[in-house]
Amino acid sequence: MSKQQRGKKHRTPQKRVPRPSVPRPRRAAPALPGSMDHMARMLEHAKPDQLVELVLPFLWVALSDGRAPANICVDACLTLRNAYGQLGVRAELLPVTVAIRKKNGTGTVYGSLTPSWTGTSWNGHCALVLPDSERFVDPTIEQFDEVRKIGMGPMVGKVSMSSRPGWLVEPGTQVMLQRGDLVLAYTVAGPQALSSIVEHPEAIAHADGHRRTGVNTAALTLAALRAKGVRDRAMQAPHPRLHALLQAIGDAPYESDEAQDVRFCLSDQSDQEQWLRLDEIPLPPETPAAWPR
């Protein structure tokens, strides 16, 4: 069987060395290729509608700190789906194949339009689609050697949304993106490919872990977005839940507890300190609920 036919194997949580949900926020972490530098530039220059959507995948890569295998696309996307959702951005899984082509036209196809599981390994590739902004996010594109050599971090681009009710992106749709001298040609798989992820016992068994890690990732993103020179733009982003969270945390200190959950120190109505996770912070009743709903 050729590389194109069998696709790329993706390990799942049971195959992975245990690691904390996130590293401690005040510990300096070595930057992975194209992660921290790009994220810093985005925080400085991104437009309000771009801030959350561009920063989150780069932050996730940086937080993995080399402890997570590069080819955990399913875990990355399930985690980021929850992280985006905590900040009010809807994100959905998008199984794809990706053809990575060089200038001379040669290249390799990774993933499968009909992915399946072998034990706890999934032989496909997965990205995210952000329906409200029509953005496409591939947080683990640098698992592929030819892309990683360029060193620009996760891939974020635009995608055409389907006009058919109930569909986000039409199966068979191609998304063409440029990375250095490479052309990345993504092809969207069908609903069966999505079902092979979300209905599989592996995804179900680790749903709580993906949510918890997503909440922690969103908390650290929120801490970055309240920085001087960033907060005003973040408050202009089209995400009411993000605005409510920024107002709720203000400049409150935060740290990781013994369970490695990120908590903010807030005062209750009696001026008693409370160390709360992001999903525990009281918000005004009109605040939109987190995704997924």
Side-chain angles (χ1 to χ4, degrees):
M1 185 180 293
S2 69
K3 180 185 286 186
Q4 290 184 344
Q5 290 173 318
R6 68 174 181 265
K8 191 79 173 177
K9 296 289 185 182
H10 296 269
R11 285 180 285 182
T12 57
Q14 290 185 351
K15 293 293 186 181
R16 199 178 312 131
V17 176
R19 67 185 190 281
S21 296
V22 292
R24 296 187 182 278
R26 295 192 179 102
R27 180 173 66 82
L32 299 184
S35 56
M36 293 301 291
D37 289 344
H38 284 286
M39 190 181 76
R41 285 196 290 271
M42 288 172 189
L43 286 170
E44 185 177 357
H45 300 296
K47 297 177 181 178
D49 66 316
Q50 298 174 330
L51 267 172
V52 174
E53 301 182 5
L54 297 183
V55 167
L56 255 176
F58 283 86
L59 179 62
W60 179 87
V61 170
L63 291 177
S64 69
D65 198 16
R67 288 174 293 197
N71 62 337
I72 54 167
C73 66
V74 169
D75 292 324
C77 288
L78 287 170
T79 295
L80 284 171
R81 183 187 185 216
N82 282 285
Y84 276 119
Q86 285 295 317
L87 301 180
V89 180
R90 183 186 174 194
E92 300 295 347
L93 270 64
L94 193 67
V96 295
T97 64
V98 56
I100 301 176
R101 299 171 183 158
K102 302 176 183 177
K103 273 186 174 181
N104 61 10
T106 63
T108 306
V109 177
Y110 298 95
S112 171
L113 293 177
T114 56
S116 60
W117 292 78
T118 302
T120 58
S121 294
W122 188 70
N123 70 332
H125 187 55
C126 187
L128 288 168
V129 61
L130 311 182
D132 294 332
S133 62
E134 299 189 341
R135 282 198 173 94
F136 172 93
V137 180
D138 186 348
T140 64
I141 187 61
E142 288 198 336
Q143 69 183 270
F144 307 119
D145 292 342
E146 55 268 55
V147 180
R148 185 167 59 252
K149 290 176 182 176
I150 299 173
M152 293 178 63
M155 174 63 76
V156 182
K158 281 286 189 175
V159 63
S160 297
M161 301 299 292
S162 173
S163 59
R164 292 174 57 184
W167 293 85
L168 294 177
V169 183
E170 192 81 26
T173 296
Q174 285 211 326
V175 180
M176 308 290 289
L177 299 172
Q178 191 83 26
R179 175 57 61 91
D181 291 335
L182 301 175
V183 174
L184 311 185
Y186 292 89
T187 301
V188 177
Q192 294 84 2
L194 178 60
S195 297
S196 77
I197 300 174
V198 298
E199 296 177 4
H200 194 273
E202 280 293 296
I204 295 171
H206 295 285
D208 288 345
H210 291 134
R211 183 181 184 280
R212 176 187 171 198
T213 309
V215 170
N216 288 329
T217 304
L220 295 180
T221 302
L222 196 68
L225 293 177
R226 69 179 180 178
K228 183 179 180 181
V230 181
R231 188 181 187 280
D232 288 347
R233 276 178 293 128
M235 289 297 291
Q236 297 173 43
H239 310 304
R241 184 175 178 84
L242 172 65
H243 305 164
L245 284 167
L246 283 169
Q247 290 172 341
I249 67 167
D251 59 356
Y254 70 98
E255 63 182 28
S256 295
D257 62 17
E258 292 181 357
Q260 293 292 316
D261 284 325
V262 177
R263 295 181 180 274
F264 291 90
C265 182
L266 302 174
S267 298
D268 64 15
Q269 293 180 345
S270 302
D271 288 330
Q272 297 295 311
E273 286 188 352
Q274 301 180 90
W275 287 90
L276 302 177
R277 291 194 340 179
L278 193 64
D279 56 346
E280 298 172 340
I281 296 174
L283 298 174
E286 67 273 13
T287 304
W291 296 96
R293 299 172 184 168

